[in-house]
Amino acid sequence: MKKPHPSEADCWFIIGAHQAGATERQCADMSGIPKSTTHTILANFRKLGSPHASLLNMSSVMESVPCNVVCIKYK
């Protein structure tokens, strides 16, 4: 049986605790969520600005990019 995803509040608690200086292990211990899930939440937040990568689609990611950002194509 697959475990349910952590609640939105749990995810933002983990992110807030980590930004306040807690390690991934400390965040996992405080929230009661496995360390691997805590790592995934923090990695998604660092990459995409959201703790739930599966809930994002490309259009919502592109909408979050400021209009004045210029993408440079490397050869």
Side-chain angles (χ1 to χ4, degrees):
M1 188 167 117
K2 195 172 184 180
K3 292 184 180 180
H5 292 285
S7 71
E8 190 77 12
D10 288 338
C11 291
W12 289 109
F13 174 80
I14 290 168
I15 292 165
H18 192 261
Q19 288 182 336
T23 64
E24 284 187 17
R25 183 174 303 281
Q26 290 169 330
C27 292
D29 291 342
M30 288 188 288
S31 65
I33 293 174
K35 186 178 176 300
S36 60
T37 304
T38 301
H39 174 79
T40 301
I41 290 167
L42 293 170
N44 287 339
F45 182 73
R46 278 191 295 272
K47 289 179 187 175
L48 303 171
S50 171
H52 301 293
S54 62
L55 300 179
L56 294 176
N57 58 31
M58 186 51 103
S59 63
S60 66
V61 171
M62 294 306 291
E63 288 172 4
S64 68
V65 175
C67 294
N68 62 352
V69 172
V70 177
C71 296
I72 300 171
K73 188 174 183 179
Y74 292 98
K75 292 182 180 183

